[in-house]
């Protein structure tokens, strides 16, 4: 109860853009009134429900477990998710970690405080273009 079990304290409504740095490529999503577009992929529209689910996971879904890590486990890092406000400035960056399948394959979210918010293995984090239905950049 001493640590916030949610990955980011940023309100989802404050997010204008999301920059994903994944294992294969970077993806930049921008809110365009009532839809989300991938500006990194020729302004292709991405499913808004997937963006909503990602924002829900980052800003409202409590972790199933919490781990304090020191040193930070760089070898488990899969990418980062940066939430950007309407003023174009970063609001928060969440590092995405994943255990090896032998260790359970759980996902972890950490935003610079060395507290990993652990999500169940069924939680999928869309870090690849294919996760968003996108072709090449």
């Amino acid at each position: 109860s001493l640590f916030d079990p949610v990955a980011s304290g940023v309100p989802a409504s404050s997010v204008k853009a999301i920059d994903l740095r994944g294992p294969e490529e970077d993806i930049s999503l921008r809110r365009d009134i009532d839809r989300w577009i991938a500006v990194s992929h020729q302004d292709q529209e991405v499913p808004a429900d997937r963006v909503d689910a990602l924002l829900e996971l980052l800003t409202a879904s409590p972790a199933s477990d919490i781990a304090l890590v020191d040193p930070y486990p760089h070898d488990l890092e899969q990418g980062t998710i940066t939430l950007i406000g309407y003023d174009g400035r970063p609001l928060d960056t969440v590092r995405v970690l994943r255990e090896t399948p032998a260790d359970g394959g759980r996902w972890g979210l950490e935003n610079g405080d060395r507290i990993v918010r652990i999500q169940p293995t069924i939680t999928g984090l869309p870090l690849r273009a294919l996760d968003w239905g996108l072709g090449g950049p």
Side-chain angles (χ1 to χ4, degrees):
S1 65
L2 296 175
F3 304 107
D4 189 350
V6 178
S8 177
V10 173
S13 60
S14 298
V15 177
K16 168 70 174 174
I18 303 170
D19 286 342
L20 304 156
R21 300 195 102 159
E24 297 170 359
E25 62 184 298
D26 297 343
I27 301 168
S28 294
L29 306 176
R30 300 289 182 266
R31 190 186 304 261
D32 183 33
I33 303 177
D34 62 346
R35 65 189 185 122
W36 285 87
I37 58 170
V39 295
S40 59
H41 290 71
Q42 302 168 343
D43 291 343
Q44 294 179 57
E45 188 170 346
V46 298
D49 60 338
R50 287 189 197 158
V51 178
D52 292 341
L54 177 62
L55 287 172
E56 173 82 12
L57 177 67
L58 296 174
T59 65
S61 297
S64 62
D65 199 5
I66 291 178
L68 300 171
V69 295
D70 192 28
Y72 176 79
H74 290 281
D75 56 321
L76 299 179
E77 189 169 301
Q78 300 293 305
T80 61
I81 302 170
T82 301
L83 305 176
I84 299 168
Y86 283 86
D87 61 358
R89 292 180 159 172
L91 300 169
D92 198 3
T93 296
V94 176
R95 295 191 282 190
V96 178
L97 306 158
R98 182 128 198 225
E99 292 177 322
T100 62
D103 291 329
R106 298 177 302 171
W107 291 92
L109 303 171
E110 190 271 348
N111 70 343
D113 57 6
R114 303 238 185 227
I115 300 168
V116 177
R117 283 92 178 159
I118 299 170
Q119 297 292 343
T121 57
I122 58 170
T123 303
L125 286 164
L127 295 175
R128 293 177 169 84
L130 291 178
D131 298 335
W132 295 99
L134 301 171

